[in-house]
Amino acid sequence: MAKKKKNKSSKSSYAPAYVPAVAPIAPAEYQLGTYTSKYADQLDNALNTVTNWKYNPLEDASYQALAKIYGARGNIAAKDSLADAAALNGGYGTSYAVSAAQQARNQYNQELAALIPDLEANAYNKATTTLQAYRDADDTDYGRFRDTEGDRQWLYSQNYQKYRDLMGDYQWGTDYNTSLYQYNEAQKKSSGGGGGGRRSSGGGGGGYSSGYTGANTLADQYNAAKAAANKKKGSTSGSKTLTAKSTATAQKNKLVRMTK
């Protein structure tokens, strides 16, 4: 005689109405960036120049350029003085001619020296302007860095909030599935234990209805409530969405109580 095949459908199985695919993955943790100035060396040098200000005209390009001009003019003036003195003395040079030439040269040297205070002021203004330019450039870069960090923080907060919402839905669905499974199992046990334990739904003192029928009704109510909540996410306020979810939660709680 052939062996009777076991009825696999009689085995208890976990077949929930709503199954989340997988648990959501948390976004990568946000790491605060570190700002590094590309103008650090220039800022240090410029600040040191202004803070420890010392002016040396021989190192000033403006002074050196003027020194060449005034030196050339002084030489010309000295030659003219020698020539004039020689003409007055029959073409012979005298100590007076030499002295006159030196005085002419010194006059231009004195004019050049008189320009040094203005040259120093200009050099100092240039140093402070350079320092401020580096500061402004560094501030601009730092502002861009802060903006970028702010955008990253905002994006992380948005992603994390989505993750929290998805995790809440996932946990909610998982809890519901567990309760539904437990309820179905309890109904199977109560409906398969002899003739007196099952009563019809009509007449008399009432009766037990099919466990699967009751479970499916609650499942339909849950799915309808969840669909309404999802539909209202983009078009209603947070309080309305919570109301829709609360309705579904109430159905889940009702299901859990029925299993106890």
Side-chain angles (χ1 to χ4, degrees):
M1 180 182 294
K3 293 183 179 180
K4 187 177 181 181
K5 294 183 179 180
K6 295 182 179 179
N7 186 1
K8 295 183 179 180
S9 61
S10 63
K11 291 184 178 181
S12 300
S13 61
Y14 178 33
Y18 169 71
V19 181
V22 293
I25 300 176
E29 185 175 355
Y30 173 75
Q31 298 293 335
L32 182 64
T34 302
Y35 175 73
T36 301
S37 174
K38 62 183 180 182
Y39 301 101
D41 293 339
Q42 294 93 323
L43 278 168
D44 289 342
N45 293 334
L47 181 61
N48 182 66
T49 298
V50 173
T51 304
N52 304 297
W53 177 253
K54 292 180 180 180
Y55 180 72
N56 184 353
L58 298 179
E59 296 177 354
D60 184 2
S62 297
Y63 175 83
Q64 292 175 3
L66 289 175
K68 291 180 180 180
I69 295 173
Y70 278 85
R73 291 177 181 178
N75 291 334
I76 294 173
K79 290 179 180 180
D80 291 343
S81 296
L82 286 173
D84 292 342
L88 293 175
N89 195 30
Y92 296 99
T94 62
S95 59
Y96 168 76
V98 174
S99 177
Q102 186 60 43
Q103 288 180 0
R105 183 179 286 108
N106 289 339
Q107 180 179 353
Y108 281 95
N109 289 336
Q110 290 173 0
E111 290 178 3
L112 175 62
L115 296 175
I116 289 179
D118 291 337
L119 292 172
E120 180 179 3
N122 291 337
Y124 183 78
N125 289 336
K126 182 179 179 180
T128 56
T129 300
T130 299
L131 174 60
Q132 188 59 48
Y134 282 129
R135 283 176 172 171
D136 292 342
D138 187 59
D139 288 344
T140 299
D141 278 1
Y142 183 68
R144 292 172 180 168
F145 167 78
R146 290 292 300 273
D147 290 342
T148 301
E149 288 298 302
D151 291 343
R152 290 175 58 192
Q153 285 180 318
W154 180 85
L155 181 60
Y156 172 78
S157 65
Q158 294 296 308
N159 291 336
Y160 186 74
Q161 185 58 50
K162 290 179 182 178
Y163 161 74
R164 291 291 299 273
D165 293 342
L166 291 173
M167 180 56 76
D169 290 343
Y170 173 80
Q171 189 61 50
W172 184 28
T174 301
D175 292 344
Y176 176 80
N177 290 340
T178 302
S179 298
L180 180 61
Y181 172 74
Q182 293 173 347
Y183 175 78
N184 286 340
E185 291 299 303
Q187 289 299 306
K188 288 179 182 179
K189 293 179 180 179
S190 65
S191 62
R198 182 181 179 87
R199 290 183 291 174
S200 63
S201 59
Y208 297 108
S209 61
S210 169
Y212 284 101
T213 302
N216 290 338
T217 300
L218 290 175
D220 291 341
Q221 293 174 354
Y222 163 76
N223 290 331
K226 183 168 180 62
N230 291 334
K231 184 177 181 181
K232 293 182 180 181
K233 277 185 178 179
S235 59
T236 62
S237 65
S239 61
K240 291 183 178 180
T241 302
L242 289 175
T243 300
K245 282 192 172 184
S246 297
T247 301
T249 302
Q251 298 299 331
K252 182 191 74 173
N253 293 336
K254 179 179 178 181
L255 178 62
V256 173
R257 289 196 299 271
M258 293 175 65
T259 64
K260 295 182 178 180

